[in-house]
Amino acid sequence: MKKENAGTQPMDPFQAWGHKWGRIGTLIALIYMIVLPFIVLGYYGCIPSLGEVINLSTISILMIYIPVGISEALSYTPILGSSSYLTFITGNIMNLKLPCAVNAMKIAKKEPNTPEGEAVASVAVAVSSIMTVIILALAAFFSTWISPFFELPAVKTASNYIIPALFGSLTLGLFSSTNSGSKVVKNGIMGVLPVLIIISVLALVVRFTSGGSLFGMVGFLILFMLPVALISSRIMWKKGIIQVVDKDAAKKEE
């Protein structure tokens, strides 16, 4: 009889189901995305050589997107859980799927990395994906009539603030005392201060030494800052600067 390892718990049936079919769906999506271009290129007889595909331009692009992909998987998966597969397959994570999943769990008062939370996140991501397809189809159909609207200066200016406003509201929700569950993180924003200070210093150094920016180094910065944020948050938690307290107690203090 096979014994379970000490300290391990059996996975919830929904989580096991989500991981099983998530891996299968991811494999199908990868095969589809890799094979389809070769079918089209082969049909038209224009398959490029290896030297045309792997060159300085593609290597420079990969140096940006490979770290970004790894950092996204490391940072988003603890929040999304088994819904990560569908999220990464459909894409548009940072500015659409992740906010939808986080907001859905908050409304349903479910915690991330729990069977209930992952079920809510999966439904939110699926509905978001379906709505995205419907909206894009309608936009393509009515593109002739609505395209002048997006050329208006006021609309262009407002669109630049959509992402900052979206993540600003999410950040306030994460660090407020109205989080779902019986526990809340007190002074949790202190955990990101070391990251903000380091990035600000690096940005100033790069700006004044070379006149450039950190935009092309986003992936590497995320990979580097993740352990910085985790280690600094743990140190502050050990010293009592960051606390995990009961929600009722936090409300009384306020």
Side-chain angles (χ1 to χ4, degrees):
M1 183 176 179
K2 185 178 180 181
K3 295 181 180 180
E4 292 185 359
N5 295 329
T8 61
Q9 295 180 354
M11 186 178 291
D12 181 83
F14 172 79
Q15 290 176 314
W17 176 86
H19 284 290
K20 174 186 175 182
W21 288 103
R23 294 186 184 108
I24 294 173
T26 302
L27 181 61
I28 293 173
L30 286 173
I31 294 173
Y32 177 82
M33 288 185 285
I34 293 173
V35 172
L36 185 61
F38 281 98
I39 293 176
V40 175
L41 292 172
Y43 177 81
Y44 289 101
C46 55
I47 296 179
S49 64
L50 188 62
E52 292 174 325
V53 175
I54 301 177
N55 50 47
L56 186 60
S57 299
T58 55
I59 291 174
S60 60
I61 294 173
L62 290 175
M63 288 180 65
I64 297 174
Y65 282 99
I66 288 178
V68 168
I70 296 173
S71 60
E72 285 183 348
L74 293 175
S75 55
Y76 297 156
T77 303
I79 301 174
L80 297 169
S82 57
S83 65
S84 300
Y85 302 101
L86 180 60
T87 305
F88 283 106
I89 290 172
T90 54
N92 206 9
I93 304 170
M94 187 173 68
N95 59 343
L96 183 60
K97 303 299 169 55
L98 182 65
C100 285
V102 171
N103 193 50
M105 287 187 284
K106 185 175 180 180
I107 293 173
K109 296 182 178 179
K110 301 300 179 183
E111 293 286 346
N113 202 24
T114 62
E116 296 82 3
E118 292 182 16
V120 171
S122 298
V123 173
V125 172
V127 173
S128 174
S129 302
I130 294 171
M131 289 303 301
T132 300
V133 173
I134 293 174
I135 292 172
L136 289 176
L138 291 174
F141 183 78
F142 295 106
S143 59
T144 304
W145 294 277
I146 65 176
S147 56
F149 173 77
F150 294 101
E151 298 298 325
L152 295 175
V155 176
K156 289 184 176 180
T157 302
S159 63
N160 294 329
Y161 295 93
I162 292 177
I163 301 301
L166 180 62
F167 276 88
S169 61
L170 282 173
T171 303
L172 290 175
L174 288 173
F175 291 116
S176 68
S177 60
T178 57
N179 288 344
S180 60
S182 60
K183 301 287 186 179
V184 294
V185 178
K186 188 177 179 181
N187 299 327
I189 198 170
M190 296 294 293
V192 301
L193 286 181
V195 175
L196 295 176
I197 293 172
I198 293 174
I199 291 179
S200 299
V201 172
L202 288 175
L204 290 173
V205 170
V206 172
R207 180 67 177 176
F208 287 107
T209 55
S210 63
S213 67
L214 298 177
F215 180 76
M217 303 172 62
V218 171
F220 295 100
L221 285 174
I222 295 176
L223 285 176
F224 175 69
M225 291 304 169
L226 278 174
V228 171
L230 292 173
I231 294 171
S232 62
S233 298
R234 181 171 178 80
I235 293 173
M236 293 182 187
W237 174 67
K238 287 285 188 180
K239 291 183 176 295
I241 300 173
I242 298 175
Q243 300 176 353
V244 179
V245 299
D246 292 328
K247 181 183 288 187
D248 296 335
K251 287 183 178 180
K252 290 180 181 179
E253 292 180 3
E254 292 176 356

